[in-house]
PDB file of all heavy atoms in Angstrom:
ATOM      1  N   HIS A   5       3.857  -7.310  19.454  1.00  0.00           N
ATOM      2  CA  HIS A   5       4.052  -6.616  18.207  1.00  0.00           C
ATOM      3  C   HIS A   5       3.186  -5.355  18.050  1.00  0.00           C
ATOM      4  O   HIS A   5       3.371  -4.636  17.119  1.00  0.00           O
ATOM      5  CB  HIS A   5       3.829  -7.530  17.004  1.00  0.00           C
ATOM      6  CG  HIS A   5       4.813  -8.660  16.967  1.00  0.00           C
ATOM      7  ND1 HIS A   5       6.113  -8.453  16.672  1.00  0.00           N
ATOM      8  CD2 HIS A   5       4.670  -9.964  17.163  1.00  0.00           C
ATOM      9  CE1 HIS A   5       6.784  -9.614  16.711  1.00  0.00           C
ATOM     10  NE2 HIS A   5       5.938 -10.569  17.030  1.00  0.00           N
ATOM     11  N   LYS A   6       2.231  -5.188  18.915  1.00  0.00           N
ATOM     12  CA  LYS A   6       1.377  -4.043  18.882  1.00  0.00           C
ATOM     13  C   LYS A   6       0.743  -3.754  17.488  1.00  0.00           C
ATOM     14  O   LYS A   6       0.784  -2.668  16.948  1.00  0.00           O
ATOM     15  CB  LYS A   6       2.110  -2.753  19.361  1.00  0.00           C
ATOM     16  CG  LYS A   6       2.674  -2.908  20.767  1.00  0.00           C
ATOM     17  CD  LYS A   6       1.593  -3.099  21.798  1.00  0.00           C
ATOM     18  CE  LYS A   6       2.206  -3.247  23.167  1.00  0.00           C
ATOM     19  NZ  LYS A   6       1.334  -3.809  24.132  1.00  0.00           N
ATOM     20  N   ALA A   7       0.215  -4.784  16.911  1.00  0.00           N
ATOM     21  CA  ALA A   7      -0.430  -4.692  15.597  1.00  0.00           C
ATOM     22  C   ALA A   7      -1.674  -3.865  15.694  1.00  0.00           C
ATOM     23  O   ALA A   7      -2.264  -3.690  16.768  1.00  0.00           O
ATOM     24  CB  ALA A   7      -0.754  -6.096  15.048  1.00  0.00           C
ATOM     25  N   SER A   8      -2.144  -3.368  14.566  1.00  0.00           N
ATOM     26  CA  SER A   8      -3.379  -2.570  14.526  1.00  0.00           C
ATOM     27  C   SER A   8      -4.562  -3.522  14.752  1.00  0.00           C
ATOM     28  O   SER A   8      -4.446  -4.764  14.714  1.00  0.00           O
ATOM     29  CB  SER A   8      -3.532  -1.903  13.161  1.00  0.00           C
ATOM     30  OG  SER A   8      -3.873  -2.888  12.167  1.00  0.00           O
ATOM     31  N   ILE A   9      -5.712  -2.947  14.966  1.00  0.00           N
ATOM     32  CA  ILE A   9      -6.916  -3.724  15.173  1.00  0.00           C
ATOM     33  C   ILE A   9      -7.249  -4.532  13.928  1.00  0.00           C
ATOM     34  O   ILE A   9      -7.728  -5.680  14.007  1.00  0.00           O
ATOM     35  CB  ILE A   9      -8.106  -2.860  15.606  1.00  0.00           C
ATOM     36  CG1 ILE A   9      -9.214  -3.712  16.216  1.00  0.00           C
ATOM     37  CG2 ILE A   9      -8.566  -1.951  14.495  1.00  0.00           C
ATOM     38  CD1 ILE A   9     -10.269  -2.925  16.937  1.00  0.00           C
ATOM     39  N   TYR A  10      -6.893  -4.012  12.747  1.00  0.00           N
ATOM     40  CA  TYR A  10      -7.136  -4.750  11.497  1.00  0.00           C
ATOM     41  C   TYR A  10      -6.234  -5.981  11.451  1.00  0.00           C
ATOM     42  O   TYR A  10      -6.680  -7.065  11.116  1.00  0.00           O
ATOM     43  CB  TYR A  10      -6.893  -3.847  10.293  1.00  0.00           C
ATOM     44  CG  TYR A  10      -8.048  -2.876  10.079  1.00  0.00           C
ATOM     45  CD1 TYR A  10      -8.108  -1.650  10.698  1.00  0.00           C
ATOM     46  CD2 TYR A  10      -9.095  -3.234   9.260  1.00  0.00           C
ATOM     47  CE1 TYR A  10      -9.170  -0.803  10.508  1.00  0.00           C
ATOM     48  CE2 TYR A  10     -10.182  -2.392   9.044  1.00  0.00           C
ATOM     49  CZ  TYR A  10     -10.192  -1.160   9.673  1.00  0.00           C
ATOM     50  OH  TYR A  10     -11.277  -0.331   9.495  1.00  0.00           O
ATOM     51  N   GLY A  11      -4.984  -5.789  11.781  1.00  0.00           N
ATOM     52  CA  GLY A  11      -4.045  -6.932  11.732  1.00  0.00           C
ATOM     53  C   GLY A  11      -4.451  -7.985  12.713  1.00  0.00           C
ATOM     54  O   GLY A  11      -4.450  -9.194  12.416  1.00  0.00           O
ATOM     55  N   LEU A  12      -4.793  -7.569  13.932  1.00  0.00           N
ATOM     56  CA  LEU A  12      -5.227  -8.545  14.983  1.00  0.00           C
ATOM     57  C   LEU A  12      -6.479  -9.308  14.542  1.00  0.00           C
ATOM     58  O   LEU A  12      -6.572 -10.509  14.746  1.00  0.00           O
ATOM     59  CB  LEU A  12      -5.454  -7.834  16.296  1.00  0.00           C
ATOM     60  CG  LEU A  12      -4.244  -7.474  17.126  1.00  0.00           C
ATOM     61  CD1 LEU A  12      -4.664  -6.835  18.435  1.00  0.00           C
ATOM     62  CD2 LEU A  12      -3.381  -8.728  17.408  1.00  0.00           C
ATOM     63  N   SER A  13      -7.447  -8.575  14.040  1.00  0.00           N
ATOM     64  CA  SER A  13      -8.716  -9.201  13.689  1.00  0.00           C
ATOM     65  C   SER A  13      -8.539 -10.186  12.554  1.00  0.00           C
ATOM     66  O   SER A  13      -9.067 -11.330  12.572  1.00  0.00           O
ATOM     67  CB  SER A  13      -9.715  -8.150  13.286  1.00  0.00           C
ATOM     68  OG  SER A  13     -10.998  -8.737  13.013  1.00  0.00           O
ATOM     69  N   ILE A  14      -7.766  -9.830  11.564  1.00  0.00           N
ATOM     70  CA  ILE A  14      -7.562 -10.731  10.398  1.00  0.00           C
ATOM     71  C   ILE A  14      -6.773 -11.949  10.867  1.00  0.00           C
ATOM     72  O   ILE A  14      -7.120 -13.066  10.542  1.00  0.00           O
ATOM     73  CB  ILE A  14      -6.879  -9.979   9.238  1.00  0.00           C
ATOM     74  CG1 ILE A  14      -7.850  -8.949   8.652  1.00  0.00           C
ATOM     75  CG2 ILE A  14      -6.399 -10.977   8.160  1.00  0.00           C
ATOM     76  CD1 ILE A  14      -7.229  -7.991   7.698  1.00  0.00           C
ATOM     77  N   ILE A  15      -5.713 -11.742  11.617  1.00  0.00           N
ATOM     78  CA  ILE A  15      -4.928 -12.865  12.111  1.00  0.00           C
ATOM     79  C   ILE A  15      -5.763 -13.795  12.989  1.00  0.00           C
ATOM     80  O   ILE A  15      -5.709 -15.018  12.913  1.00  0.00           O
ATOM     81  CB  ILE A  15      -3.684 -12.382  12.841  1.00  0.00           C
ATOM     82  CG1 ILE A  15      -2.692 -11.815  11.808  1.00  0.00           C
ATOM     83  CG2 ILE A  15      -3.016 -13.451  13.687  1.00  0.00           C
ATOM     84  CD1 ILE A  15      -1.536 -11.054  12.370  1.00  0.00           C
ATOM     85  N   SER A  16      -6.590 -13.177  13.839  1.00  0.00           N
ATOM     86  CA  SER A  16      -7.486 -13.975  14.699  1.00  0.00           C
ATOM     87  C   SER A  16      -8.429 -14.802  13.829  1.00  0.00           C
ATOM     88  O   SER A  16      -8.613 -16.015  14.148  1.00  0.00           O
ATOM     89  CB  SER A  16      -8.291 -13.030  15.588  1.00  0.00           C
ATOM     90  OG  SER A  16      -9.169 -13.788  16.396  1.00  0.00           O
ATOM     91  N   ALA A  17      -9.007 -14.212  12.878  1.00  0.00           N
ATOM     92  CA  ALA A  17      -9.933 -15.001  11.973  1.00  0.00           C
ATOM     93  C   ALA A  17      -9.194 -16.110  11.270  1.00  0.00           C
ATOM     94  O   ALA A  17      -9.718 -17.223  11.131  1.00  0.00           O
ATOM     95  CB  ALA A  17     -10.596 -14.039  10.952  1.00  0.00           C
ATOM     96  N   LEU A  18      -7.984 -15.845  10.771  1.00  0.00           N
ATOM     97  CA  LEU A  18      -7.239 -16.898  10.054  1.00  0.00           C
ATOM     98  C   LEU A  18      -6.889 -18.052  10.992  1.00  0.00           C
ATOM     99  O   LEU A  18      -7.033 -19.232  10.597  1.00  0.00           O
ATOM    100  CB  LEU A  18      -5.963 -16.274   9.456  1.00  0.00           C
ATOM    101  CG  LEU A  18      -6.156 -15.192   8.413  1.00  0.00           C
ATOM    102  CD1 LEU A  18      -4.788 -14.676   7.930  1.00  0.00           C
ATOM    103  CD2 LEU A  18      -6.965 -15.723   7.218  1.00  0.00           C
ATOM    104  N   PHE A  19      -6.432 -17.735  12.205  1.00  0.00           N
ATOM    105  CA  PHE A  19      -6.081 -18.814  13.094  1.00  0.00           C
ATOM    106  C   PHE A  19      -7.280 -19.544  13.678  1.00  0.00           C
ATOM    107  O   PHE A  19      -7.184 -20.719  14.055  1.00  0.00           O
ATOM    108  CB  PHE A  19      -5.095 -18.330  14.174  1.00  0.00           C
ATOM    109  CG  PHE A  19      -3.699 -18.275  13.680  1.00  0.00           C
ATOM    110  CD1 PHE A  19      -3.139 -17.146  13.176  1.00  0.00           C
ATOM    111  CD2 PHE A  19      -2.904 -19.445  13.722  1.00  0.00           C
ATOM    112  CE1 PHE A  19      -1.847 -17.128  12.662  1.00  0.00           C
ATOM    113  CE2 PHE A  19      -1.615 -19.473  13.240  1.00  0.00           C
ATOM    114  CZ  PHE A  19      -1.076 -18.291  12.719  1.00  0.00           C
ATOM    115  N   HIS A  20      -8.402 -18.861  13.734  1.00  0.00           N
ATOM    116  CA  HIS A  20      -9.633 -19.570  14.104  1.00  0.00           C
ATOM    117  C   HIS A  20      -9.939 -20.685  13.084  1.00  0.00           C
ATOM    118  O   HIS A  20     -10.234 -21.782  13.451  1.00  0.00           O
ATOM    119  CB  HIS A  20     -10.798 -18.547  14.170  1.00  0.00           C
ATOM    120  CG  HIS A  20     -12.077 -19.208  14.656  1.00  0.00           C
ATOM    121  ND1 HIS A  20     -12.392 -19.282  15.977  1.00  0.00           N
ATOM    122  CD2 HIS A  20     -13.089 -19.751  13.969  1.00  0.00           C
ATOM    123  CE1 HIS A  20     -13.557 -19.895  16.107  1.00  0.00           C
ATOM    124  NE2 HIS A  20     -13.991 -20.181  14.897  1.00  0.00           N
ATOM    125  N   GLN A  21      -9.799 -20.302  11.829  1.00  0.00           N
ATOM    126  CA  GLN A  21     -10.039 -21.297  10.749  1.00  0.00           C
ATOM    127  C   GLN A  21      -9.010 -22.436  10.809  1.00  0.00           C
ATOM    128  O   GLN A  21      -9.342 -23.590  10.642  1.00  0.00           O
ATOM    129  CB  GLN A  21      -9.963 -20.613   9.376  1.00  0.00           C
ATOM    130  CG  GLN A  21     -10.932 -19.443   9.206  1.00  0.00           C
ATOM    131  CD  GLN A  21     -12.354 -19.869   9.119  1.00  0.00           C
ATOM    132  OE1 GLN A  21     -12.784 -20.866   9.666  1.00  0.00           O
ATOM    133  NE2 GLN A  21     -13.178 -19.072   8.456  1.00  0.00           N
ATOM    134  N   VAL A  22      -7.754 -22.098  11.028  1.00  0.00           N
ATOM    135  CA  VAL A  22      -6.694 -23.099  11.143  1.00  0.00           C
ATOM    136  C   VAL A  22      -6.993 -24.072  12.290  1.00  0.00           C
ATOM    137  O   VAL A  22      -6.885 -25.271  12.143  1.00  0.00           O
ATOM    138  CB  VAL A  22      -5.299 -22.440  11.317  1.00  0.00           C
ATOM    139  CG1 VAL A  22      -4.257 -23.491  11.691  1.00  0.00           C
ATOM    140  CG2 VAL A  22      -4.886 -21.714  10.047  1.00  0.00           C
ATOM    141  N   GLY A  23      -7.384 -23.515  13.438  1.00  0.00           N
ATOM    142  CA  GLY A  23      -7.713 -24.348  14.594  1.00  0.00           C
ATOM    143  C   GLY A  23      -8.855 -25.306  14.301  1.00  0.00           C
ATOM    144  O   GLY A  23      -8.794 -26.482  14.663  1.00  0.00           O
ATOM    145  N   GLN A  24      -9.883 -24.830  13.635  1.00  0.00           N
ATOM    146  CA  GLN A  24     -11.019 -25.687  13.322  1.00  0.00           C
ATOM    147  C   GLN A  24     -10.621 -26.769  12.304  1.00  0.00           C
ATOM    148  O   GLN A  24     -11.008 -27.910  12.472  1.00  0.00           O
ATOM    149  CB  GLN A  24     -12.175 -24.843  12.777  1.00  0.00           C
ATOM    150  CG  GLN A  24     -12.819 -24.016  13.875  1.00  0.00           C
ATOM    151  CD  GLN A  24     -14.083 -23.358  13.405  1.00  0.00           C
ATOM    152  OE1 GLN A  24     -14.254 -22.980  12.246  1.00  0.00           O
ATOM    153  NE2 GLN A  24     -15.030 -23.200  14.335  1.00  0.00           N
ATOM    154  N   ILE A  25      -9.886 -26.399  11.308  1.00  0.00           N
ATOM    155  CA  ILE A  25      -9.448 -27.399  10.319  1.00  0.00           C
ATOM    156  C   ILE A  25      -8.600 -28.469  10.947  1.00  0.00           C
ATOM    157  O   ILE A  25      -8.759 -29.684  10.742  1.00  0.00           O
ATOM    158  CB  ILE A  25      -8.719 -26.754   9.114  1.00  0.00           C
ATOM    159  CG1 ILE A  25      -9.736 -26.051   8.211  1.00  0.00           C
ATOM    160  CG2 ILE A  25      -7.956 -27.793   8.326  1.00  0.00           C
ATOM    161  CD1 ILE A  25     -10.693 -26.954   7.424  1.00  0.00           C
ATOM    162  N   LEU A  26      -7.655 -28.059  11.802  1.00  0.00           N
ATOM    163  CA  LEU A  26      -6.783 -29.046  12.508  1.00  0.00           C
ATOM    164  C   LEU A  26      -7.622 -29.984  13.359  1.00  0.00           C
ATOM    165  O   LEU A  26      -7.397 -31.183  13.394  1.00  0.00           O
ATOM    166  CB  LEU A  26      -5.752 -28.318  13.343  1.00  0.00           C
ATOM    167  CG  LEU A  26      -4.639 -27.603  12.565  1.00  0.00           C
ATOM    168  CD1 LEU A  26      -3.757 -26.809  13.517  1.00  0.00           C
ATOM    169  CD2 LEU A  26      -3.836 -28.555  11.750  1.00  0.00           C
ATOM    170  N   MET A  27      -8.635 -29.452  14.053  1.00  0.00           N
ATOM    171  CA  MET A  27      -9.467 -30.310  14.892  1.00  0.00           C
ATOM    172  C   MET A  27     -10.324 -31.252  14.037  1.00  0.00           C
ATOM    173  O   MET A  27     -10.497 -32.412  14.433  1.00  0.00           O
ATOM    174  CB  MET A  27     -10.359 -29.455  15.806  1.00  0.00           C
ATOM    175  CG  MET A  27     -11.175 -30.280  16.774  1.00  0.00           C
ATOM    176  SD  MET A  27     -10.219 -31.487  17.765  1.00  0.00           S
ATOM    177  CE  MET A  27      -9.307 -30.404  18.841  1.00  0.00           C
ATOM    178  N   VAL A  28     -10.823 -30.792  12.924  1.00  0.00           N
ATOM    179  CA  VAL A  28     -11.586 -31.675  12.029  1.00  0.00           C
ATOM    180  C   VAL A  28     -10.677 -32.794  11.552  1.00  0.00           C
ATOM    181  O   VAL A  28     -11.080 -33.984  11.489  1.00  0.00           O
ATOM    182  CB  VAL A  28     -12.201 -30.923  10.840  1.00  0.00           C
ATOM    183  CG1 VAL A  28     -12.683 -31.853   9.749  1.00  0.00           C
ATOM    184  CG2 VAL A  28     -13.330 -30.040  11.298  1.00  0.00           C
ATOM    185  N   MET A  29      -9.447 -32.483  11.232  1.00  0.00           N
ATOM    186  CA  MET A  29      -8.482 -33.469  10.766  1.00  0.00           C
ATOM    187  C   MET A  29      -8.259 -34.517  11.873  1.00  0.00           C
ATOM    188  O   MET A  29      -8.119 -35.690  11.567  1.00  0.00           O
ATOM    189  CB  MET A  29      -7.203 -32.815  10.332  1.00  0.00           C
ATOM    190  CG  MET A  29      -7.335 -31.980   9.048  1.00  0.00           C
ATOM    191  SD  MET A  29      -5.881 -30.938   8.704  1.00  0.00           S
ATOM    192  CE  MET A  29      -4.570 -32.106   8.625  1.00  0.00           C
ATOM    193  N   VAL A  30      -8.156 -34.078  13.103  1.00  0.00           N
ATOM    194  CA  VAL A  30      -7.969 -34.996  14.197  1.00  0.00           C
ATOM    195  C   VAL A  30      -9.190 -35.836  14.521  1.00  0.00           C
ATOM    196  O   VAL A  30      -9.088 -37.057  14.626  1.00  0.00           O
ATOM    197  CB  VAL A  30      -7.492 -34.204  15.509  1.00  0.00           C
ATOM    198  CG1 VAL A  30      -7.546 -35.122  16.724  1.00  0.00           C
ATOM    199  CG2 VAL A  30      -6.135 -33.602  15.317  1.00  0.00           C
TER     200      VAL A  30
END
């Protein structure tokens, strides 16, 4: 999708949080 650095960074931060929450749940 060739997102901007802002889009990539924000999405990366959001999915980092999602990954951690999912692992805590497991």
Side-chain angles (χ1 to χ4, degrees):
H5 295 291
K6 303 297 180 196
S8 73
I9 196 166
Y10 284 88
L12 282 180
S13 183
I14 292 169
I15 288 168
S16 178
L18 297 178
F19 278 94
H20 184 88
Q21 304 290 28
V22 169
Q24 288 189 328
I25 286 291
L26 290 173
M27 184 53 70
V28 166
M29 291 168 59
V30 168

